[in-house]
Amino acid sequence: MKHNLRRWLAQWDAGELDFTAKTASPELPQPRAETEWSKEPVRRLERRQAAAFNRIYPVLAAILCTVMIGFLFFTVSELPAFGSSDSPAHNEVTKRYVEQGMAETGAVNTVSGVILDYRAFDTLGESHVLFTATTAVLILLLTAQEEAEPKQQREIMQRDPILRQTAKIVVPLAMLFGIYVIFNGHLGPGGGFAGGSVIGGALILYVVSFGFERLEKLLNLKTFRIIVLCALCFYSLSKCYSFFCGANGLETIFSAGTPGRIFSAGLILPLNIAVGIVVACTMYGFYSLFRRGRI
Amino acid sequence: MELMDIFELSLLLLLVICGISTCVSKNLMVSLIIFMAYSVIMSIIWALLQAPDLAITEAAVGAGISGVLMFLSLKKIRDIRRKEAEHET
């Protein structure tokens, strides 16, 4: 039977099988038997391929990693030395930023001046990209029902005395430090993103140790959406205004002011505050959505 | 100056050790903790390279928030695995 089957299949494969003569034959293979027979060598082949793949894969991975590391080391060794004055990054743009930055933007911290004034167009585009990405992720992943957290576990965590006492001391300090970093963004190191993430971390620590109930009244999904939208609109409108004025050579109402004062540097301080609020809310919001299984 | 060089070199060495052991360690929890330590060392190095902006951001995001989010996802994965195990038995 089996030999017959194999011969037939070989004939069929070569195109020599006469269908009209054989269909009437009682020895025609049942379809079930045919599939089982034809699957067998395929499975054997797959097994052999998998074994070969398992043997070759680590070798190829090691070779690829070595080559990539070699390329990276080669590139790094070709880079100009750290802080050398003749590196290509030190061209007239950097010179202008360093020499004129404080007078033109009013920001003592040149990084803030570059991000939110000279290169504000890039930053505006980036924040819109980020907003679109978060919105798309929320649309895709947000589910309506809330996953009930095991109550016992939550109570154990919230009764933990070490966590609570530490949080009582650390949370206000971290909040204050975050606010300081945001408000000091144009005067010293820091800015909206750094300060916002410090505040977001403090909010997460608070929620971990004291539970969602109290913060929930102040900051839920609805207020989160409103805050993000308002901050982005404020950012876009104020920057559109300053782009319009700058392109047409008009005086803006936001003057650079005296460098070093807290109310100076034009739009940089309000923009830092807006960015900080959005970042803090986003960090906390993603944590809480994730924690409750809504994402 | 001599002492500072030794400090910097030991920080860089620790960075390499942390980076390798993050990849090598079998336990995901352990590799996460090592990853957070990596971020802390990196933020000290940023401060030494006179980039305090980056140091603050690295300490807040790298050592704080990304670590917390990854711990959360680890917890989710464990919950899912436990549910699957219960389902099978």
Side-chain angles (χ1 to χ4, degrees):
Chain A
M1 174 74 191
K2 204 164 183 179
H3 279 280
N4 257 338
L5 200 62
R6 204 168 280 183
R7 208 185 57 226
W8 273 344
L9 274 169
Q11 276 180 347
W12 188 34
D13 202 32
E16 294 164 0
L17 194 67
D18 185 11
F19 278 100
T20 47
K22 296 287 176 186
T23 36
S25 158
E27 283 178 43
L28 194 76
Q30 297 298 311
R32 193 181 160 76
E34 184 187 9
T35 50
E36 271 179 10
W37 179 82
S38 61
K39 258 185 191 171
E40 194 50 44
V42 174
R43 236 180 269 144
R44 211 181 298 151
L45 191 68
E46 271 176 8
R47 232 178 292 140
R48 212 185 302 148
Q49 277 176 345
F53 177 77
N54 281 342
R55 236 177 292 127
I56 294 170
Y57 180 77
V59 179
L60 281 183
I63 291 172
L64 191 67
C65 277
T66 323
V67 170
M68 276 310 293
I69 291 170
F71 268 121
L72 289 177
F73 269 120
F74 176 71
T75 318
V76 167
S77 68
E78 291 289 302
L79 284 178
F82 178 72
S84 75
S85 58
D86 56 339
S87 76
H90 290 150
N91 52 12
E92 67 279 358
V93 180
T94 321
K95 207 177 161 197
R96 168 94 182 212
Y97 286 164
V98 171
E99 285 174 357
Q100 303 283 319
M102 205 199 284
E104 283 180 352
T105 65
V108 181
N109 180 5
T110 319
V111 177
S112 281
V114 171
I115 290 174
L116 291 174
D117 201 304
Y118 284 121
R119 298 276 172 95
F121 200 64
D122 298 14
T123 317
L124 186 64
E126 277 164 19
S127 32
H128 280 92
V129 167
L130 210 60
F131 176 75
T132 318
T134 16
T135 317
V137 166
L138 281 185
I139 289 170
L140 277 176
L141 298 181
L142 200 63
T143 51
Q145 87 272 15
E146 209 163 278
E147 198 176 90
E149 205 183 349
K151 205 171 182 182
Q152 206 179 357
Q153 190 187 346
R154 197 172 58 195
E155 277 174 3
I156 288 170
M157 263 186 94
Q158 283 176 21
R159 253 189 282 132
D160 187 48
I162 299 173
L163 188 63
R164 290 191 86 145
Q165 296 304 322
T166 317
K168 265 183 196 167
I169 300 168
V170 171
V171 168
L173 284 178
M175 290 266 190
L176 264 182
F177 180 65
I179 293 168
Y180 163 76
V181 168
I182 290 176
F183 276 81
N184 214 33
H186 56 300
L187 303 177
F193 185 75
S197 41
V198 172
I199 293 179
L203 284 176
I204 289 174
L205 183 58
Y206 177 83
V207 158
V208 164
S209 43
F210 296 102
F212 281 106
E213 288 84 14
R214 272 189 266 177
L215 202 56
E216 181 70 4
K217 285 171 196 153
L218 187 68
L219 194 64
N220 48 33
L221 195 59
K222 203 176 160 198
T223 43
F224 167 65
R225 280 181 182 139
I226 294 170
I227 286 171
V228 172
L229 194 65
C230 283
L232 196 73
C233 284
F234 167 71
Y235 197 145
S236 309
L237 289 176
S238 59
K239 264 303 156 192
C240 283
Y241 169 73
S242 85
F243 289 148
F244 179 76
C245 289
N248 292 308
L250 301 170
E251 277 290 313
T252 57
I253 52 168
F254 308 106
S255 63
T258 325
R261 301 273 292 272
I262 188 133
F263 290 112
S264 66
L267 268 175
I268 293 177
L269 179 64
L271 288 185
N272 262 336
I273 295 171
V275 171
I277 290 172
V278 170
V279 170
C281 288
T282 310
M283 300 272 179
Y284 168 72
F286 266 87
Y287 173 79
S288 72
L289 288 178
F290 206 41
R291 173 86 183 275
R292 296 186 209 170
R294 290 198 58 185
I295 288 184
Chain B
M1 203 58 217
E2 192 72 17
L3 201 65
M4 211 58 203
D5 284 347
I6 294 168
F7 182 54
E8 276 179 23
L9 278 179
S10 57
L11 275 181
L12 289 174
L13 193 70
L14 271 177
L15 201 67
V16 173
I17 291 170
C18 279
I20 291 173
S21 49
T22 306
C23 306
V24 169
S25 86
K26 297 275 180 193
N27 191 341
L28 281 179
M29 189 82 151
V30 172
S31 70
L32 245 178
I33 293 168
I34 299 171
F35 180 69
M36 286 164 90
Y38 174 93
S39 284
V40 173
I41 296 166
M42 199 63 221
S43 85
I44 300 171
I45 292 176
W46 287 130
L48 287 179
L49 289 174
Q50 303 185 351
D53 293 83
L54 277 179
I56 294 172
T57 312
E58 177 83 40
V61 176
I65 286 164
S66 66
V68 168
L69 287 180
M70 281 191 271
F71 272 128
L72 265 185
S73 28
L74 211 59
K75 188 169 159 270
K76 290 252 158 179
I77 292 169
R78 279 187 188 161
D79 283 353
I80 290 169
R81 278 201 189 135
R82 206 177 52 221
K83 263 180 206 163
E84 273 178 0
E86 278 171 11
H87 195 68
E88 274 170 19
T89 49

